[in-house]
C-alpha cells in the first residue's frame, strides 16, 4: 500500500519555483515548447488582455500594473535565454499559464506555509516551463474550478480532477496524467467492511466531486453529506456525524495518516482518470499541454514528481 510522505524538504525549492525565481531550471526542454508554439497562430492579445484585467479585479491575485510589468521584464530575460515566444500561445494572461485549483487535496495540491505545492503544482510548473510560460496558481473552491476555466479566468483546472462525461459537456480535457481511485474511509471499529455496507449509512463527501456525485446516485441524496473540503468530511467522520467518507485514495491516505482511529477499506469504489480541464475549443492549449505531458511522461519527470510526494511502502 502506498503511503504519503509530505516532502517538507521540497518546500523551499517548490516555493522558489512557484514564485518564478527558479530560472536555473528554465532551460530544460525548451525546444519542444518552441515546436508546439510554432504551430499556434497569433493570439488576439488585445481582447484577452482586457478580459483578463476585468476578471482578475477583486481577486486575491490582482496585480498592479507595476507588478505585472516587473514580472514581464523578468520573463523577457528568461525567454531570451530560452529563445521561446510564449505570447504565441493564447492564454488568459499573456506569457502566463493560469492554473485553477483547490489546494486542500494532498498530495496533489496543498499548502506548505504560504505556498501551494503538490503533484499538480509541480506538473503544472513543468508544463509551463515546456511552453515558455510563467505559472500562476489560483486557489478556489473545487466547485469553482470549471467555472473559472469556462469564464476565461484560468487556462486550466488542475486539481486531481476526474474526467467525467458531465464535465466534458462544459470543458475539454488534456490527456490523463494520473489514475485516481475513490476510496472509503471508516472508523477503525466500523461494521462497514465493503461498499454494499454503505447502504442506509450517512456518507460524507467533498462537494461536487465524483465521490459526491456517485454516492448520491448509489446511496441516495438524503444519505450524503457534502462538505466544502475533504478534510471537513473526515473531521465529521471522526466526530461521528457521518459513518464513512468517500474520497480520492491519495487524500484519503493523507487524512487517515493525520487523524487517529480511521482506516481505508480495501475495496475500491471507483477508478478514474485525472486530467487538466481546458476551455472548450482551446485546442491549441490542449495540444500544447498534451505535447508537454507526453514529453514529461517519456523523460520520467512525471514519475519523479509522483515519487517525490508519494512514497511506496
Ligand atoms: N477526483 C475528484 C473529482 O474530480 C476529486 C477532486 C478534488 O477534490 N480535487 O471530482
Amino acid at each position: 500500500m502506498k503511503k504519503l510522505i509530505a516532502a517538507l524538504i521540497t518546500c523551499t525549492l517548490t516555493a522558489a519555483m512557484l514564485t518564478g525565481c527558479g530560472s536555473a531550471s528554465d532551460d530544460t526542454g525548451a525546444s519542444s515548447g518552441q515546436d508546439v508554439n510554432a504551430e499556434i497562430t497569433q493570439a488576439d492579445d488585445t481582447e484577452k488582455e482586457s478580459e483578463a484585467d476585468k476578471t482578475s479585479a477583486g481577486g486575491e491575485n490582482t496585480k498592479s500594473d507595476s507588478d505585472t510589468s516587473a514580472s514581464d521584464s523578468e520573463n523577457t530575460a528568461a525567454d531570451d535565454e530560452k529563445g521561446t515566444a510564449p505570447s504565441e500561445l493564447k492564454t488568459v494572461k499573456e506569457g502566463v499559464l493560469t492554473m485553477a485549483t483547490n489546494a486542500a487535496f494532498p498530495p496533489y495540491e496543498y499548502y506548505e506555509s504560504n505556498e501551494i505545492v503538490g503533484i499538480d503544482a509541480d506538473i503544472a510548473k513543468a508544463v509551463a516551463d515546456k511552453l515558455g510560460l510563467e505559472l500562476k496558481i489560483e486557489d478556489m473552491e473545487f466547485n469553482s474550478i470549471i467555472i473559472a476555466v469556462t469564464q476565461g479566468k484560468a487556462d486550466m483546472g488542475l486539481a486531481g480532477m476526474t474526467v467525467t462525461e458531465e464535465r466534458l459537456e462544459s470543458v475539454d480535457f488534456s490527456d490523463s496524467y494520473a489514475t485516481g481511485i475513490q476510496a472509503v474511509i471508516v472508523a477503525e471499529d466500523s461494521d462497514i467492511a465493503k461498499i454494499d455496507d454503505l447502504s442506509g449509512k450517512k456518507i460524507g463527501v467533498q462537494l461536487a466531486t465524483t465521490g459526491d456525485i456517485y454516492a448520491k446516485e448509489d446511496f441516495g441524496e438524503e444519505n450524503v453529506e457534502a462538505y466544502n473540503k475533504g478534510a471537513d468530511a473526515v473531521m465529521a467522520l471522526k466526530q461521528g456525524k457521518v459513518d464513512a467518507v468517500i474520497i480520492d485514495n491519495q487524500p484519503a491516505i493523507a487524512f487517515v495518516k493525520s487523524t487517529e482511529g480511521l482506516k481505508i477499506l480495501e475495496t475500491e469504489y471507483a477508478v478514474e482518470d485525472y486530467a487538466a480541464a481546458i476551455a472548450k475549443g482551446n485546442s491549441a492549449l490542449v495540444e500544447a499541454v498534451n505535447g508537454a505531458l507526453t514529453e514529461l511522461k517519456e523523460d520520467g519527470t512525471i514519475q519523479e514528481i509522483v515519487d517525490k510526494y508519494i512514497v511506496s511502502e
Side-chain angles (χ1 to χ4, degrees):
M1 185 176 182
K2 288 172 175 175
K3 274 271 175 192
L4 159 75
I5 294 183
L8 286 172
I9 46 160
T10 64
C11 176
T12 335
L13 176 64
T14 315
M17 281 160 41
L18 286 173
T19 50
C21 310
S23 56
S25 60
D26 279 351
D27 53 0
T28 46
S31 57
S32 58
Q34 286 170 7
D35 293 341
V36 172
N37 282 336
E39 311 228 352
I40 295 156
T41 48
Q42 282 294 337
D44 50 339
D45 292 328
T46 346
E47 192 189 318
K48 272 289 159 196
E49 247 335 279
S50 57
E51 260 177 46
D53 286 345
K54 263 184 267 156
T55 52
S56 66
E60 67 197 60
N61 288 286
T62 306
K63 291 226 185 254
S64 70
D65 286 349
S66 55
D67 275 347
T68 314
S69 50
S71 66
D72 281 354
S73 54
E74 275 170 32
N75 287 347
T76 317
D79 296 340
D80 286 348
E81 272 170 42
K82 288 179 293 182
T84 53
S87 59
E88 285 174 22
L89 189 60
K90 189 171 153 185
T91 56
V92 168
K93 190 173 183 310
E94 195 184 332
V96 176
L97 183 67
T98 306
M99 157 182 166
T101 199
N102 171 238
F105 196 72
Y108 287 91
E109 41 270 327
Y110 58 101
Y111 279 92
E112 263 179 13
S113 304
N114 290 327
E115 298 298 333
I116 296 171
V117 300
I119 295 170
D120 287 341
D122 281 14
I123 290 178
K125 171 69 178 136
V127 168
D129 279 352
K130 288 260 181 213
L131 304 182
L133 298 168
E134 184 196 332
L135 177 68
K136 181 171 148 206
I137 304 180
E138 304 254 18
D139 186 20
M140 59 190 72
E141 306 233 313
F142 184 74
N143 219 359
S144 306
I145 296 171
I146 287 192
I147 299 166
V149 170
T150 56
Q151 292 187 347
K153 292 178 187 171
D155 297 302
M156 64 172 187
L158 202 62
M161 188 179 284
T162 305
V163 180
T164 68
E165 289 301 320
E166 201 189 338
R167 289 173 185 162
L168 277 165
E169 283 171 20
S170 13
V171 286
D172 289 339
F173 278 99
S174 70
D175 293 338
S176 176
Y177 63 90
T179 301
I181 293 166
Q182 292 301 310
V184 182
I185 310 175
V186 293
E188 251 161 18
D189 59 358
S190 173
D191 56 359
I192 299 168
K194 53 187 193 310
I195 304 298
D196 286 352
D197 299 338
L198 289 169
S199 282
K201 302 281 189 185
K202 263 273 177 277
I203 302 166
V205 294
Q206 186 188 347
L207 183 69
T209 61
T210 46
D212 182 15
I213 298 159
Y214 304 155
K216 282 174 180 160
E217 276 169 17
D218 291 348
F219 304 104
E221 286 205 19
E222 66 285 5
N223 292 316
V224 178
E225 208 64 58
Y227 299 85
N228 267 327
K229 291 181 180 160
D232 294 343
V234 173
M235 195 48 64
L237 172 62
K238 176 76 183 155
Q239 293 168 345
K241 291 179 186 162
V242 295
D243 303 304
V245 167
I246 297 180
I247 193 163
D248 299 49
N249 190 44
Q250 288 302 333
I253 291 169
F255 293 140
V256 165
K257 202 175 176 218
S258 59
T259 318
E260 293 257 304
L262 303 179
K263 66 177 182 188
I264 299 170
L265 293 190
E266 295 284 328
T267 333
E268 295 164 352
Y269 180 48
V271 179
E272 313 174 315
D273 287 325
Y274 291 168
I278 293 171
K280 262 199 177 304
N282 193 353
S283 52
L285 187 57
V286 173
E287 276 168 36
V289 169
N290 283 346
L293 284 175
T294 302
E295 288 179 15
L296 294 166
K297 281 177 199 165
E298 282 172 7
D299 72 6
T301 305
I302 302 255
Q303 193 56 50
E304 262 170 43
I305 292 171
V306 169
D307 291 345
K308 177 172 144 190
Y309 291 97
I310 301 173
V311 177
S312 297
E313 254 191 358

